[in-house]
Structures are given as C-alpha cells and as structure tokens.
Amino acid sequence: GENVEQHPSTLSVQEGDSAVIKCTYSDSASNYFPWYKQELGKRPQLIIDIRSNVGEKKDQRIAVTLNKTAKHFSLHITETQPEDSAVYFCAATPGTNAGKSTFGDGTTLTVKP
Amino acid sequence: NAGVTQTPKFRILKIGQSMTLQCTQDMNHNYMYWYRQDPGMGLKLIYYSVGAGITDKGEVPNGYNVSRSTTEDFPLRLELAAPSQTSVYFCASSYHSFPGRSPGLAPYNEQFFGPGTRLTVL
C-alpha cells in the first residue's frame, strides 16, 4: 500500500517568515495530493491540492510543488501570520482507487508574533 | 447546506459495549469515509464507500463495521469496544466523477470532514 512520510513533525517560525513542509510518497500510481489544515479542536479543511499533471500551484500565500520523479511534494507558506498556526496534513490518493487516500502524520506549525 | 454532520460529539464507553457513530451528508457526494485520529497522529482510514450499497476496508478496519444504505448516511458500528479504540473519529465525504461519464473533469475532489466524535473507552 501507499506510505506517506511528512517532515518536519513540528515547525516554529517568526511571523513574516516562510514555512516549508515536505511529504514523500511510495506509490507511483498516486496522482492527487491535497493539503489539509486542522486548527486545534477543529475538523481538517482543504487549503490547496495538486494533481499529477502539474508541477506547481499557487493560491495567494500558499503554494504546493510536486516532483513526480522523486515522489515528493511540498507545501510553501510565505509571509506567515499567527493565524497560520495549526496542524497541516498532506495526503496522497492513488489513481486506481480514489477512496484510499493515505495521510501523513502531520506538521504542527507555530507562528510566533 | 449543513455539510457533513456527526453524532454524538462525545461518548464514553465501557469495555465490551457497542455503539454506532452516525454520519450524514447533504451534498449528494458519492464517496464517504471514516477515519480515526489518535493524539498527535494523522488520519487513518477505517472504511470507505463509493456509493450506496458499496463499502470497502481501509487501513485499520478491525473492530468496526459500516453500512451504506443511502447516499446520505454512513454509520460506523463499534462492536465490543476496547481501550485501543479511544480516538477522535471523523467522517468525510467527497464527489468523484468518472472519466467515462464526464470527460475532461478531474476525477478527484476535496474531502469535506464532519466535526468529529471524541470516543473514550474505559
């Protein structure tokens, strides 16, 4: 089955700095890679996703890059703000089975004011 | 739309008891999922369904059962609760089109999560 590794497990940055979270996956059949943000005590919510036919996607301060050859993808947050503090999860979904997304273990991001 | 709703929000069970976690979505999504989230960990897939009457096992199905009799509802049944089942349970739903029916559309879409059920087994 798919294996998704996420690093780092915790990340602390100063407000205004950039944050980068990386995930690697094992199944070359995976072709959909969403990122979810989970605030304390809340449900996960999608913040950005990327499909395997593109290498990069941006949405304001958030971007995701995908390297299919190396089987890794990364979340980039620029100009971080205290409200960006949360747990971020990556996931990989195989093209052969849209029901079986595999999630990383999460990264706790703390943005210090 | 209410989105994905779950009941109850909290529950304490004794070892050996059974219960059903309810999940309902009103977005006409075809896919539904159950995940568990242990403290400091990611989401582990328990079961999923691609449509009414069709369910399949995820990564950690032991000790659980599901059914999908309607598009809207996807209950999760715990039989003989054990302390290892103490966790937060999230239900989710998504819509996936199939290339044959909708050429050119990306088949995968985001999962919408319910608020979660915090279950403690003592």
Side-chain angles (χ1 to χ4, degrees):
Chain A
E2 175 67 277
N3 182 47
V4 176
E5 294 189 357
Q6 184 171 345
H7 298 281
S9 56
T10 60
L11 180 59
S12 181
V13 300
Q14 288 295 135
E15 182 177 359
D17 287 350
S18 295
V20 180
I21 303 170
K22 298 181 180 180
C23 287
T24 61
Y25 61 99
S26 61
D27 188 352
S28 57
S30 289
N31 61 4
Y32 175 64
F33 307 93
W35 286 89
Y36 290 84
K37 176 183 180 182
Q38 186 178 29
E39 297 176 350
L40 189 63
K42 301 287 184 65
R43 72 190 78 184
Q45 290 190 297
L46 182 80
I47 55 171
I48 196 166
D49 57 14
I50 192 166
R51 290 166 174 77
S52 60
N53 58 341
V54 297
E56 183 176 5
K57 183 177 178 180
K58 289 184 179 180
D59 183 4
Q60 299 182 342
R61 297 185 297 108
I62 294 172
V64 56
T65 58
L66 171 65
N67 184 325
K68 286 183 61 180
T69 303
K71 293 186 191 150
H72 68 71
F73 55 110
S74 299
L75 177 70
H76 305 255
I77 305 174
T78 58
E79 301 173 17
T80 54
Q81 301 167 3
E83 50 266 38
D84 294 329
S85 296
V87 180
Y88 292 81
F89 295 98
C90 65
T93 304
T96 52
N97 190 340
K100 283 197 168 183
S101 294
T102 300
F103 283 77
D105 285 339
T107 296
T108 301
L109 173 64
T110 303
V111 180
K112 299 177 182 177
Chain B
N1 287 351
V4 181
T5 57
Q6 292 182 237
T7 57
K9 291 184 179 179
F10 305 94
R11 184 71 184 269
I12 299 175
L13 284 181
K14 295 182 179 179
I15 295 173
Q17 287 186 320
S18 300
M19 76 164 294
T20 299
L21 281 66
Q22 302 291 343
C23 175
T24 300
Q25 55 93 7
D26 62 359
M27 297 175 282
N28 202 30
H29 286 170
N30 48 357
Y31 280 56
M32 295 188 74
Y33 316 78
W34 275 106
Y35 295 92
R36 59 176 288 172
Q37 184 177 35
D38 298 331
M41 301 297 289
L43 297 157
K44 301 296 184 186
L45 182 66
I46 305 171
Y47 271 95
Y48 69 100
S49 169
V50 304
I54 306 170
T55 63
D56 203 354
K57 296 178 181 179
E59 188 179 356
V60 290
N62 292 344
Y64 307 95
N65 278 300
V66 294
S67 59
R68 182 103 181 266
S69 57
T70 67
T71 298
E72 295 78 18
D73 301 306
F74 190 40
L76 177 71
R77 178 79 176 165
L78 278 73
E79 304 282 0
L80 299 175
S84 61
Q85 292 178 306
T86 294
S87 190
V88 179
Y89 291 83
F90 286 101
C91 178
S93 71
S94 62
Y95 179 75
H96 297 285
S97 60
F98 296 92
R101 296 181 186 176
S102 304
L105 287 180
Y108 306 146
N109 291 295
E110 72 175 287
Q111 294 187 27
F112 291 84
F113 287 82
T117 294
R118 185 173 297 275
L119 176 67
T120 302
V121 182
L122 299 174

